[in-house]
């Protein structure tokens, strides 16, 4: 006898407020974290060998390559980052060709990791990758690298993801990560493709949108004509299209990835719908000479850090974590004049979808950064100036000669950082008010500085400050 399934109304899940990455509390813990938790923290880039264990054809001329590290360790990274891979395209006896590819998997499943490559028939590397990388292929890698990633903790967690073509790969990592985590979030994805059958991950995107009420996915065919039966959008990215899929875009953090022309257009259109520059994060899949040079600097610096880390391990493997250089900020417990601080993380607060304004974004979940009252925050540390960290909800006292990143990390504020050399840009945050002295070496663009962003690793405070972190 066949049992018939009937449609029933299922209540929405009860969720805690905001999103928090699984390693966030470990990073701020005052006690020695467990080995497994420590291994998952995205602390620094490393050089390692990885073996391909599976290949998965994707739509749109893409292929996903699933790897695992040969040393058995997990790959710890933040959703949106990339790895640099050496491909022996001219043979094992010739110098390899390096290429950087975004990770498309979630860091919450770190024992294997995915790299998705779009085949460019005229390219040197991608055709070789599609034809030659098979299960059992072993490649040299460096990573994770990049400042384009989700925050470690976000109490609001309201995002607009824009992707064009292969730009879906880091966005997919972000979406898979959010889907795997508990907590309230509001995510809109707008994905541009060239043809109806060319949207990579479309089955998984449809599944996530169908089972996760936090996620909405929209597709557009760009400037191509609509085929019969097409139910998505059509036309290039416009302000009207952004307003249609996300009428509250000016209350969201926007992550965009794709070709240079697409992102340049997106920058202007987002301004037209009221999104502030400080809420826009972009990753170029192709860019001008300056952008490419900046990426080369990131990779070169990551290689230097990886080499230093390897030397530390070789010199004193047993005491490695205890003697970790302060520049990397690993497991440095928070403390002030009275002693150690407790581990920090998002407050465990239930999100009530029936509260006034919860559905339309007018509640706290949709507030502009800095709208909370910092006078209600706890204050730690000593110093003549005050840093108010709005997302963390803490005031930190600082002296004018102290670097902001170091003081913030001691107080438990989670700011991603690979170094303190002012080059890689991974610690970039938004200054909502106040003045800094920043002595950087190229890790931040002029337009980002104009938009209020700065590098706390190489900055000191000149006045009291309010910071979106």
């Amino acid at each position: 006898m066949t049992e018939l399934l009937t449609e029933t109304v299922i209540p929405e899940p009860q969720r805690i407020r905001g999103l928090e990455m699984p390693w966030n509390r470990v990073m701020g813990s005052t006690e020695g974290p467990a080995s497994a938790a420590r291994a998952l923290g995205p602390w620094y880039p490393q050089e390692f060998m990885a073996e391909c264990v599976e290949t998965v054809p994707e739509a749109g001329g893409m292929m996903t390559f699933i790897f695992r590290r040969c040393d058995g360790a997990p790959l710890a990274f933040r959703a949106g980052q990339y790895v640099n891979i050496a491909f022996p395209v001219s043979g094992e006896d010739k110098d390899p060709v390096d290429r950087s590819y975004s990770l498309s998997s979630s860091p919450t499943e770190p024992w294997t990791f995915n790299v998705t490559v779009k085949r460019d028939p005229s390219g040197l590397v991608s055709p070789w990758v599609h034809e030659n990388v098979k299960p059992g292929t072993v490649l040299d890698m460096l990573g994770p690298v990049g400042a384009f990633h989700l925050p470690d903790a976000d109490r609001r967690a309201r995002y607009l993801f824009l992707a064009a073509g292969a730009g879906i790969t880091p966005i997919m990592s972000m979406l898979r990560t959010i889907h795997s985590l508990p907590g309230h979030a509001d995510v809109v994805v707008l994905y541009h493709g060239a043809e109806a059958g060319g949207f990579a991950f479309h089955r998984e995107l449809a599944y996530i949108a169908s089972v996760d009420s936090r996620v909405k996915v929209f597709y557009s065919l760009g400037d191509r004509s609509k085929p019969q039966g097409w139910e998505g959008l059509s036309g290039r990215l416009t302000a009207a299209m952004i307003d249609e899929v996300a009428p509250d875009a000016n209350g969201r953090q926007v992550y965009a990835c794709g070709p240079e022309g697409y992102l340049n257009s997106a920058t202007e259109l987002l301004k037209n719908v009221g999104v502030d520059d400080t809420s826009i994060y972009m990753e170029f899949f192709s860019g001008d000479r300056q952008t490419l040079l900046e990426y080369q600097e990131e990779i070169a610096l990551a290689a230097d850090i990886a080499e230093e880390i390897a030397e530390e391990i070789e010199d004193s493997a047993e005491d490695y974590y205890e003697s970790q250089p302060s520049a990397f900020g690993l497991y440095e417990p928070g403390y002030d004049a009275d002693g150690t601080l407790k581990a920090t993380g998002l407050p465990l607060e239930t999100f009530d979808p029936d509260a006034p304004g919860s559905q339309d974004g007018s509640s706290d979940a949709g507030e502009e950064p800095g709208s909370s009252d910092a006078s209600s925050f706890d204050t730690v540390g000593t110093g003549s100036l005050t840093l108010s960290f709005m997302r963390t909800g803490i005031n930190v006292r600082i002296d004018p000669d102290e670097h902001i990143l170091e003081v913030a990390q001691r107080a438990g504020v989670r700011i991603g950082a690979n170094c303190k050399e002012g080059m890689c840009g991974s610690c970039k945050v938004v200054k909502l008010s106040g003045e800094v002295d920043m002595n950087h070496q190229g890790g931040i663009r002029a337009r980002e500085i104009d938009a209020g962003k700065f590098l706390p690793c190489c900055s000191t405070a000149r006045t009291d400050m309010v910071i979106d972190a």
Side-chain angles (χ1 to χ4, degrees):
M1 177 178 174
T2 302
E3 182 179 348
L4 299 179
L5 299 178
T6 58
E7 187 76 18
T8 59
V9 178
I10 301 175
E12 282 292 304
Q14 294 182 339
R15 304 184 188 275
I16 59 173
R17 182 178 291 281
L19 290 177
E20 187 168 20
M21 299 301 154
W23 55 79
N24 188 55
R25 292 175 186 247
V26 176
M27 292 172 71
S29 177
T30 59
E31 299 180 3
S35 297
R38 178 173 63 201
L40 299 180
W43 316 125
Y44 48 79
Q46 300 177 58
E47 291 179 336
F48 58 92
M49 305 289 289
E51 175 189 27
C52 178
V53 294
E54 187 175 350
T55 63
V56 182
E58 307 283 0
M62 299 193 208
M63 180 83 75
T64 291
F65 300 88
I66 302 176
F67 292 93
R68 65 185 174 199
R69 288 179 54 144
C70 293
D71 60 8
L75 178 64
F77 64 97
R78 290 180 169 90
Q81 290 189 297
Y82 61 91
V83 289
N84 187 256
I85 307 175
F87 296 103
V89 297
S90 301
E92 297 294 339
D93 57 339
K94 302 290 185 180
D95 289 338
V97 178
D98 291 346
R99 288 290 186 271
S100 295
Y101 289 106
S102 294
L103 293 151
S104 55
S105 53
S106 168
T108 60
E109 299 179 356
W111 301 104
T112 60
F113 59 94
N114 298 3
V115 171
T116 303
V117 179
K118 181 178 177 63
R119 180 174 186 144
D120 178 2
S122 63
L124 170 64
V125 173
S126 63
W128 186 93
V129 173
H130 276 237
E131 294 167 10
N132 292 278
V133 177
K134 303 285 192 294
T137 302
V138 176
L139 299 170
D140 280 308
M141 299 192 183
L142 167 68
V145 187
F148 180 79
H149 57 72
L150 291 176
D152 287 334
D154 192 338
R155 191 169 181 267
R156 297 171 179 86
R158 303 181 69 242
Y159 304 119
L160 170 60
F161 294 155
L162 302 177
I168 190 62
T169 54
I171 299 300
M172 200 65 199
S173 176
M174 294 179 181
L175 191 61
R176 284 167 164 164
T177 301
I178 292 170
H179 178 57
S180 71
L181 293 174
H184 177 73
D186 184 346
V187 182
V188 174
V189 181
L190 177 54
Y191 181 8
H192 272 77
E195 55 184 356
F199 291 89
F201 312 111
H202 64 92
R203 289 189 181 90
E204 185 176 357
L205 287 167
Y207 170 76
I208 291 175
S210 69
V211 300
D212 194 330
S213 60
R214 302 173 294 177
V215 177
K216 296 181 178 65
V217 180
F218 299 88
Y219 303 90
S220 178
L221 283 178
D223 55 4
R224 307 298 178 91
S225 59
K226 291 192 297 184
Q228 186 175 3
W230 175 252
E231 298 180 352
L233 304 169
S234 61
R236 297 193 177 195
L237 187 67
T238 64
M241 185 181 292
I242 294 174
D243 193 54
E244 179 179 352
V245 302
D248 57 350
N250 63 350
R252 297 175 182 267
Q253 300 291 307
V254 181
Y255 290 83
C257 185
E260 181 181 9
Y262 171 82
L263 295 183
N264 288 340
S265 176
T267 300
E268 295 303 316
L269 295 173
L270 289 167
K271 291 179 182 176
N272 293 342
V273 298
V275 180
D276 190 84
D277 281 348
T278 59
S279 297
I280 301 172
Y281 307 88
M282 293 193 170
E283 181 86 318
F284 289 82
F285 262 43
S286 62
D288 58 20
R289 183 173 180 275
Q290 181 60 36
T291 300
L292 295 176
L293 288 174
E294 289 173 4
Y295 286 165
Q296 289 173 10
E297 286 183 349
E298 278 193 347
I299 293 167
L301 182 61
D304 290 342
I305 295 172
E307 183 178 357
E308 185 173 342
I309 292 291
E311 291 174 354
E312 285 281 336
I313 296 175
E314 183 178 358
D315 291 343
S316 180
E318 184 177 351
D319 299 327
Y320 169 60
Y321 287 103
E322 288 73 14
S323 62
Q324 185 62 48
S326 62
F328 305 124
L330 310 192
Y331 299 116
E332 184 176 5
Y335 61 89
D336 60 15
D338 298 322
T340 56
L341 303 172
K342 65 180 181 180
T344 56
L346 291 181
L348 195 62
E349 177 184 358
T350 302
F351 174 78
D352 183 2
D354 297 322
S358 291
Q359 298 299 328
D360 62 11
S362 60
S363 69
D364 177 73
E367 291 176 1
E368 289 297 311
S371 59
S372 301
D373 182 8
S375 64
S376 63
F377 296 164
D378 291 338
T379 300
V380 300
T382 59
S384 59
L385 300 174
T386 300
L387 308 177
S388 297
F389 293 94
M390 304 310 291
R391 291 184 182 270
T392 307
I394 191 172
N395 292 321
V396 181
R397 303 290 294 177
I398 188 172
D399 285 323
D401 59 346
E402 295 181 284
H403 283 105
I404 292 172
L405 178 63
E406 182 177 350
V407 175
Q409 289 184 327
R410 283 206 308 263
V413 178
R414 300 273 52 87
I415 298 176
N418 288 334
C419 69
K420 291 189 177 179
E421 299 301 323
M423 291 180 63
C424 75
S426 63
C427 65
K428 201 177 299 173
V429 293
V430 176
K431 168 174 63 70
L432 300 174
S433 67
E435 299 298 330
V436 299
D437 284 326
M438 179 168 54
N439 182 25
H440 71 92
Q441 300 176 33
I444 189 169
R445 300 172 183 171
R447 63 177 174 81
E448 293 176 313
I449 297 174
D450 293 340
K453 296 181 181 180
F454 75 103
L455 299 175
C457 65
C458 54
S459 297
T460 56
R462 294 172 54 190
T463 65
D464 290 346
M465 296 180 62
V466 178
I467 299 172
D468 186 25

